[in-house]
Amino acid sequence: MSFQLVSEYGAKGDQEQAIEKLVKSLGAGNAHQTLLGVTGSGKTFSMANIVERMGRPTLVMSHNKTLAAQLYSEFKNFFPHNAVEYFVSYFDYYQPEAYIPRSDTYIEKDSSINDEIERLRLSTMGSLLTRRDVLVVASVSCIYGLGSPDDYEGMMVPVWEGQELARDELLAQLVGILFERNDVAFGRGRFRVRGDVVEVHPAYLEDTAIRVEFFGDEVDRVSSIDVLTGAVIERMDKHTFFPAKQFVSSADKMQRAMIAIRAEMEERIGIFEKEGKLIEAQRLKMRTEYDLEMMQEMGFCQGIENYSRHITGRAPGERPYTLLDFFPDDFLVLMDESHVSVPQIRGMYEGDMSRKRVLVEHGFRLPSALDNRPLRFNEFMEMTTQRVYVSATPGPFEVVNSRPDNRGFIPVHGNQERGIDPIRLRQLRIEPSPTEEPVEEFDVTGKGRLLIVEQIIRPTGLLDPTLTLKPLAGQIDETIERCHQRIQKGERVLVTTLTKRTAEDLTEYLQGAGLKVRYIHADIDAVERVEILRQLRAAEFDILVGINLLREGLDLPEVSLVCILDADKEGFLRNETSLIQTAGRAARHLNGECVLFCDEVTESIQRLIDVTEYRRGRQEDYNEKHGITPQSVVRAVQESLHQLQDDKSRAEKLSSSLVAEDAAVYDAVNVLMELESEMQEAAGKLEFERAAHLRDQIRELKKRAGLEKDESGKASPGKS
């Protein structure tokens, strides 16, 4: 099945020329090409058009979960008839295993797995093995180790109507692919048996189970059923069960792996004993033998990924299998916010290795655990043949590599042996194919030609925000005055600082000045960040103070003013890329303005001024030519809030009937259980706004029902 883009609107502004130029470059077989798209120009829509026209399995990479979830939602809407999958880390909480030698402190691995995200990961793997119309939105998790795709595919269990298959044989096959039998607690990754009827809840399906009915040793009927009610949804000719876990292997491979693991353990213990490291030797022996026993009895153990080299039969040092191995050879890669994503991929390997080497040296893991790792950057590039980098501020890597004659890649990382000067890299200037260049004149084969395509026209007609430079002296008082002006108009403000402490202190100061303000930084968990942004858009407060989180990908059309404090403090947070990205947060509002507080115009500030003037001029010319009146971007926050309001009304209706009596408290508990279940379900589906709002209703209901605990841990009395 081919990709079918569904949208109420077509390409506007300069989207069409950008799409056609990139498709032309991809069709010519070029390995690297870049879409320079400004904030609000519809880059995601252009990416969707490229996917449809190329018609190949596609990996869309994002540098964090929040933006990945946003992209996943958008692509699901664009391709409702195709397989749009989501592949990110399935940990809600993750504390990696580590050892600190100087204090002899061992930190055991601790994690909390999100079942819904695990389901989506398994669904991704299954889709890639069974169809071609697949678009996967993924984080950097896609370059971390997985089981072998050959093993995963080889362990699929097909079942069809009329098949000669004994019931007990099917049960054995399900256990072999790591399903658990539980006739009482039916859930994902489990099956139950009722006479000649076997019901299986695949780990990759949400609310659907598969019922297999037998007549003797023959499959009589295969049906999909509702998990809760058991009602038949659809009768099926066949169904293929995928393994219930990501790391699976056949029994013979597992046996060979255990022999190899034991041999490596004995060799390593011998080395430790020879060196007089008896504690390390004993530690390694106990841990490894326990894991071997679990694999022998259960086919699985905690941390089995550390033995993946032996399980998959790889040689020492050989790269691990990853999600990329599940794609066909001709898949396409779209790297969103590439100026962040590319360095992130580059940095994963060394960060992981530095921790694991310590564990190996002190007997917590076998040396083979080092081969359970993310891909090196060169391995990632070798496994991906064609890439489209998407960013408003492409980095040096994208600029240097986006050329027709570059079939490999140039490792732009200050490598002097290749004649790359880091200073010159910072001075690189991008000369993209301008909007007015006809597609037929866009040279995709000429040596040295830059394959960078410009998309700077916003269909809304909005211009880049105006830039205002103000002195550092009195920057706080000036910020307060400007905030008051915007708040009176019902608009929102972003203020960026250089440190977490400054963000917190400034927030407290602004609150003291009578302003409704909150801060956001890396110490705030992802769900809470989403809720803070929702509250900003819903005008529950007016000003948001942050550091560098107020940059890539944030869609805040109500924000009309961005204040950048200490803008002339040249560095990572005040370089050209950061300034352009931060200023762009006001580009979705008609009255967009960016105020930079500085005593000198640094090179980065000047570059921001030059870029802004150029883009504003181009947009003004386009608007005049096509008779466009700029309009602020309108997002469906109110629609979302309507849904949340319904939840609120229902919760208030339920809570209003409650009184502080035993029976009422019992009713309240039931209501709370229902709401908490809905909250967990919403969070699992990445509907963070709804989850956060339900959380607030739960808190309010607890308070009204007298179930809220005070600081002493005692329940507060309910209302009479």
Side-chain angles (χ1 to χ4, degrees):
M1 185 177 180
S2 59
F3 284 98
Q4 299 177 19
L5 175 61
V6 177
S7 176
E8 297 179 357
Y9 50 88
K12 297 180 180 179
D14 57 353
Q15 291 174 344
E16 185 61 36
Q17 62 87 29
I19 296 166
E20 291 187 5
K21 288 175 181 176
L22 289 170
V23 170
K24 182 180 179 180
S25 180
L26 290 167
N30 292 316
H32 311 266
Q33 39 269 306
T34 299
L35 173 61
L36 194 162
V38 301
T39 301
S41 64
K43 295 191 292 293
T44 304
F45 181 70
S46 295
M47 292 161 67
N49 274 273
I50 292 170
V51 171
E52 181 188 44
R53 299 186 192 189
M54 295 305 299
R56 291 152 48 184
T58 303
L59 171 65
V60 180
M61 290 195 67
S62 179
H63 64 282
N64 69 49
K65 282 186 178 182
T66 303
L67 294 183
Q70 180 178 304
L71 284 170
Y72 173 65
S73 176
E74 292 181 51
F75 280 116
K76 284 279 285 186
N77 291 328
F78 284 139
F79 298 109
H81 308 300
N82 304 107
V84 179
E85 304 287 354
Y86 185 68
F87 193 94
V88 300
S89 171
Y90 57 6
F91 298 110
D92 284 332
Y93 165 77
Y94 182 69
Q95 171 60 61
E97 185 181 27
Y99 179 67
I100 307 173
R102 66 177 179 270
S103 59
D104 191 27
T105 303
Y106 172 70
I107 303 172
E108 191 173 0
K109 176 182 174 181
D110 186 21
S111 63
S112 174
I113 292 177
N114 186 307
D115 291 336
E116 180 64 19
I117 294 181
E118 184 180 31
R119 180 189 72 80
L120 292 169
R121 287 168 64 99
L122 290 167
S123 175
T124 300
M125 296 160 67
S127 293
L128 287 171
L129 292 174
T130 55
R131 55 195 300 178
R132 279 188 57 84
D133 61 325
V134 183
L135 185 149
V136 180
V137 180
S139 67
V140 73
S141 180
C142 69
I143 70 170
Y144 279 77
L146 278 182
S148 165
D150 292 335
D151 289 346
Y152 194 86
E153 186 174 16
M155 295 186 71
M156 294 180 182
V157 177
V159 177
W160 61 89
E161 197 173 297
Q163 178 186 10
E164 292 186 8
L165 177 69
R167 189 204 68 172
D168 290 348
E169 185 180 349
L170 174 62
L171 302 185
Q173 290 178 343
L174 290 173
V175 171
I177 59 176
L178 302 182
F179 278 85
E180 300 175 4
R181 178 172 179 173
N182 194 317
D183 294 339
V184 179
F186 193 45
R188 290 190 191 126
R190 296 175 178 175
F191 66 91
R192 63 187 178 195
V193 184
R194 298 175 177 176
D196 287 336
V197 178
V198 179
E199 294 178 344
V200 187
H201 192 176
Y204 47 87
L205 295 182
E206 187 173 2
D207 300 318
T208 305
I210 305 299
R211 177 180 291 160
V212 183
E213 301 174 54
F214 289 86
F215 185 79
D217 290 343
E218 181 179 313
V219 176
D220 184 55
R221 182 178 299 175
V222 181
S223 311
S224 61
I225 63 172
D226 186 276
V227 171
L228 295 178
T229 65
V232 175
I233 299 173
E234 178 186 12
R235 185 165 177 176
M236 312 167 73
D237 294 329
K238 62 180 181 180
H239 182 82
T240 299
F241 295 106
F242 301 124
K245 302 287 185 183
Q246 299 175 51
F247 291 91
V248 292
S249 187
S250 60
D252 58 332
K253 279 192 173 183
M254 188 63 74
Q255 288 297 325
R256 288 196 298 268
M258 288 189 290
I259 294 172
I261 292 168
R262 187 172 296 278
E264 185 187 12
M265 177 192 70
E266 292 173 352
E267 180 185 355
R268 186 65 174 168
I269 289 173
I271 294 173
F272 278 144
E273 291 176 344
K274 187 176 179 180
E275 296 175 351
K277 298 180 178 180
L278 302 182
I279 295 176
E280 287 84 349
Q282 181 65 18
R283 179 187 291 151
L284 185 64
K285 181 179 177 67
M286 292 177 61
R287 292 175 63 87
T288 309
E289 286 189 339
Y290 176 79
D291 288 344
L292 286 170
E293 185 176 347
M294 291 296 294
M295 283 189 278
Q296 180 68 49
E297 297 298 325
M298 307 294 295
F300 198 79
C301 74
Q302 188 71 19
I304 193 172
E305 63 273 10
N306 289 295
Y307 305 106
S308 60
R309 193 189 82 192
H310 295 296
I311 295 172
T312 56
R314 293 180 283 121
E318 189 177 350
R319 70 164 182 82
Y321 291 105
T322 67
L323 182 70
L324 303 186
D325 290 285
F326 285 75
F327 282 90
D329 293 338
D330 64 340
F331 78 104
L332 176 65
V333 178
L334 305 178
M335 299 191 72
D336 190 46
E337 305 293 354
S338 58
H339 63 285
V340 181
S341 301
V342 170
Q344 186 184 59
I345 295 170
R346 186 187 292 116
M348 289 296 104
Y349 174 78
E350 285 300 333
D352 187 74
M353 281 295 103
S354 61
R355 175 179 59 84
K356 285 183 177 174
R357 289 191 187 102
V358 177
L359 292 170
V360 171
E361 290 169 2
H362 292 85
F364 290 95
R365 288 293 175 193
L366 293 171
S368 58
L370 296 174
D371 290 324
N372 170 45
R373 57 174 177 81
L375 296 175
R376 296 185 179 95
F377 188 71
N378 66 301
E379 292 169 337
F380 172 81
M381 299 305 289
E382 289 169 0
M383 295 183 68
T384 56
T385 56
Q386 288 191 296
R387 311 156 204 90
V388 178
Y389 309 106
V390 182
S391 174
T393 53
F397 180 90
E398 299 95 292
V399 178
V400 170
N401 280 276
S402 295
R403 304 173 189 275
D405 52 320
N406 181 19
R407 296 298 176 181
F409 76 98
I410 303 171
V412 180
H413 204 51
N415 192 336
Q416 296 292 343
E417 295 181 1
R418 290 181 172 262
I420 298 174
D421 183 0
I423 297 177
R424 287 186 61 203
L425 287 178
R426 291 196 294 268
Q427 298 174 343
L428 281 174
R429 292 293 175 259
I430 304 173
E431 296 180 359
S433 169
T435 299
E436 62 271 13
E437 181 180 27
V439 175
E440 54 271 16
E441 295 181 10
F442 180 58
D443 187 3
V444 297
T445 59
K447 186 177 180 179
R449 172 65 192 261
L450 275 181
L451 297 175
I452 301 178
V453 176
E454 185 179 71
Q455 184 176 306
I456 61 173
I457 302 299
R458 299 181 177 90
T460 57
L462 286 173
L463 280 66
D464 273 45
T466 57
L467 301 179
T468 303
L469 274 58
K470 289 290 183 178
L472 290 174
Q475 60 179 338
I476 302 301
D477 292 337
E478 179 72 19
T479 298
I480 292 175
E481 177 61 29
R482 290 179 174 270
C483 287
H484 280 300
Q485 294 172 4
R486 299 289 172 159
I487 293 170
Q488 290 175 0
K489 299 177 182 178
E491 301 166 2
R492 281 2 136 246
V493 181
L494 300 182
V495 181
T496 65
T497 66
L498 289 173
T499 66
K500 297 177 184 177
R501 179 63 182 272
T502 305
E504 294 173 3
D505 290 347
L506 178 60
T507 299
E508 185 177 354
Y509 183 81
L510 295 178
Q511 288 173 341
L515 297 169
K516 294 190 290 184
V517 56
R518 293 193 64 177
Y519 66 81
I520 186 171
H521 55 57
D523 291 344
I524 298 173
D525 67 69
V527 175
E528 186 65 21
R529 288 181 215 166
V530 174
E531 170 63 3
I532 290 172
L533 295 176
R534 185 198 68 79
Q535 291 176 353
L536 177 69
R537 295 197 59 202
E540 294 183 27
F541 65 95
D542 304 305
I543 307 165
L544 182 60
V545 181
I547 310 168
N548 67 332
L549 295 177
L550 308 179
R551 289 175 48 190
E552 295 86 8
L554 286 186
D555 188 357
L556 303 170
E558 294 80 11
V559 171
S560 67
L561 174 65
V562 174
C563 294
I564 303 178
L565 305 185
D566 301 303
D568 56 0
K569 303 298 188 291
E570 192 76 70
F572 171 70
L573 295 177
R574 296 293 182 264
N575 61 18
E576 176 187 327
T577 297
S578 294
L579 292 178
I580 293 175
Q581 289 284 350
T582 304
R585 295 317 98 199
R588 289 183 169 90
H589 200 284
L590 184 62
N591 302 322
E593 180 184 10
C594 178
V595 180
L596 297 100
F597 293 97
C598 57
D599 286 336
E600 63 173 309
V601 178
T602 63
E603 184 179 340
S604 297
I605 293 176
Q606 187 58 55
R607 181 58 180 162
L608 168 64
I609 294 171
D610 295 341
V611 168
T612 300
E613 288 179 353
Y614 169 72
R615 292 176 178 176
R616 285 180 63 87
R618 296 295 304 277
Q619 186 73 56
E620 287 173 342
D621 292 343
Y622 182 86
N623 292 350
E624 184 178 353
K625 182 179 179 181
H626 294 84
I628 295 175
T629 301
Q631 298 178 351
S632 294
V633 175
V634 178
R635 290 286 183 267
V637 63
Q638 290 302 322
E639 293 181 11
S640 175
L641 290 175
H642 284 324
Q643 182 182 12
L644 300 176
Q645 191 62 41
D646 291 340
D647 294 329
K648 181 178 180 180
S649 299
R650 183 167 70 93
E652 289 178 347
K653 182 178 180 181
L654 290 167
S655 63
S656 64
S657 65
L658 298 175
V659 292
E661 299 177 357
D662 292 342
V665 171
Y666 177 78
D667 290 340
V669 171
N670 287 333
V671 173
L672 287 168
M673 290 176 62
E674 180 183 346
L675 291 176
E676 287 177 348
S677 176
E678 290 185 25
M679 180 184 69
Q680 295 296 332
E681 181 183 356
K685 294 180 179 179
L686 311 176
E687 298 171 355
F688 297 128
E689 293 184 6
R690 185 165 180 262
H693 206 81
L694 284 167
R695 178 202 61 195
D696 294 341
Q697 303 315 310
I698 291 169
R699 290 174 177 172
E700 180 65 22
L701 185 53
K702 283 182 176 179
K703 185 177 179 180
R704 295 190 182 195
L707 301 176
E708 189 83 82
K709 292 183 177 179
D710 58 24
E711 294 180 357
S712 66
K714 299 179 180 180
S716 60
K719 293 182 179 180
S720 60

